């Protein structure tokens, strides 16, 4: 019997039920374990992934590609698609995705516009995975974030999780907060007033879980289990002066961690600019590089399920 993810797109984290997210997390754990024994599997032999990136990326694209290689599949990579693909000639995302569907069994796309993944999916005849559509969503980051929380803290239920920084434009926190709302968690949201979580999303979250919105970082750090730090998304600001006004709003220093909560788990989707001091990196709770590693397992699980190679 095929799994419920077979042949599906992943455009928003809301496309997945809690049970489907749990299936992906369980599969990620199995694949991580298998790869410790056998670095390359053959689950997706003969399958081709196309990565189409219209925006900069290091971790997302390379971890998807690493994941596909480890599953035994092949990869077609368009890393600067805005410049080097026919988008530069005016081709629509739907047409491009329709054509690429003839060359690959799965498309992973990142693009600066909100709902660009939906546009690609309208043209594609193979599944499309959203690897970030502007400031909207980044569902596969949410999967690896949940996987990381589970690994670092042993469980998701019962945790108090805080998100700090650019909650307005940060697509990772949009997808992760929606996913966390399936569990019994408390969510604290810390940002300057100009970068608060979009009101509609905050409202939706409050209907499902306890949400506190505040500007007081150290008080929340003392009380929470995990702190998810984000970069201020400079590329989303129309006026550079507005970016300059908020760019140094919150900086996590070693002293702040040690004086408020030395046990805290610190996450960040990366890249960081200056929001976590580098001397935090060797604290035991600094999980962000382990989090980036987890992208491979979560993405292997997702692709193996969508391409119906596991159950
Ligand atoms: C994030 C993104 O692209 O949204 N990076 C990532 O995928 N790990 C976060 C960011 O760029 O700040």
């Amino acid at each position: 019997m095929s799994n419920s993810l077979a042949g599906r797109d992943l455009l928003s984290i809301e496309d997945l039920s809690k049970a489907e997210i749990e299936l992906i997390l369980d599969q990620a754990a199995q694949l991580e374990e298998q790869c410790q024994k056998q670095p390359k599997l053959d689950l997706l032999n003969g399958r081709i992934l196309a990565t189409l990136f219209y925006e900069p990326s290091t971790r997302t694209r390379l971890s998807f590609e690493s994941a596909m290689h480890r599953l035994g599949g092949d990869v077609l990579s368009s890393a600067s698609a805005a410049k080097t693909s026919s988008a530069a000639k005016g081709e629509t995302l739907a047409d491009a995705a329709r054509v690429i569907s003839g060359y690959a069994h799965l498309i992973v796309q990142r693009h600066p516009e909100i709902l660009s993944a939906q546009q690609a999916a309208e043209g594609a005849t193979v599944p499309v995975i959203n690897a970030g559509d502007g400031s909207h969503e980044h569902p596969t980051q949410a999967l690896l974030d949940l996987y990381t929380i589970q690994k670092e803290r042993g469980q998701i239920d019962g945790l108090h999780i805080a998100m700090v920084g650019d909650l307005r434009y940060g697509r990772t926190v949009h997808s992760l907060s929606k996913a966390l709302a399936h569990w019994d968690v408390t969510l604290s949201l810390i940002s300057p007033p100009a970068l608060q979580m979009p009101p509609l999303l905050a409202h939706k979250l409050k209907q499902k879980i306890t949400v506190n919105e505040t500007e007081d970082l150290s008080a929340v750090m003392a009380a929470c289990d995990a702190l998810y730090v984000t970069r201020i998304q400079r590329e989303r600001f129309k006026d550079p002066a507005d970016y300059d006004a908020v760019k140094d709003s919150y900086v996590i220093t070693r002293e702040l961690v040690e004086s408020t909560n030395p046990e805290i788990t610190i996450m960040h989707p990366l890249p960081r600019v200056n929001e976590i001091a580098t001397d935090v990196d060797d604290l035991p709770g600094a999980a962000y590089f382990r989090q980036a590693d987890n992208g491979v397992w979560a993405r292997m699980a997702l692709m193996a399920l969508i391409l119906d190679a596991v159950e």
Side-chain angles (χ1 to χ4, degrees), residues 18 29 83 98 131 158-159 202 206 212 220 249 253 275 278 307:
K18 182 182 184 187
K83 282 195 200 121
R98 181 167 180 174
L159 294 181
K206 285 174 191 166
N212 324 303
V220 171
S249 306
T253 60
E275 57 280 353
T278 52
L307 293 176

Side-chain angles (χ1 to χ4, degrees), residues 53 55-61 110 131-134 137-138 140-141 144-145 169-173 228-233 235-236 268-273 275 291-292 299:
F53 278 63
E55 260 195 346
S57 170
T58 301
R59 277 149 289 273
T60 304
R61 187 174 61 82
R110 169 173 289 186
D133 60 330
E137 278 234 26
H138 193 349
T140 65
Q141 179 72 40
L144 77 93
D145 292 341
Y169 297 118
R171 55 195 172 198
T172 67
V173 284
Y228 191 98
V229 186
T230 62
R231 176 179 68 89
I232 309 293
Q233 307 279 297
E235 66 276 33
R236 311 283 178 225
H268 191 307
L270 302 177
R272 74 171 146 192
V273 182
E275 57 280 353
Q291 180 184 355
R299 290 176 171 127

Side-chain angles (χ1 to χ4, degrees), residues 195-214:
L195 298 180
Q196 278 175 359
M197 194 63 101
L200 199 61
L201 175 51
H203 177 74
K204 268 170 97 171
L205 295 171
K206 285 174 191 166
Q207 290 177 328
K208 297 178 85 178
I209 53 174
T210 306
V211 178
N212 324 303
E213 291 183 274
T214 170

Side-chain angles (χ1 to χ4, degrees), residues 162-165 167 188-192 214-217 220 227 250:
M163 297 177 169
V164 60
L167 308 183
S188 288
L189 304 176
I190 310 140
S191 66
T214 170
E215 290 178 55
D216 188 349
L217 175 62
V220 171
L227 178 68
Y250 295 101

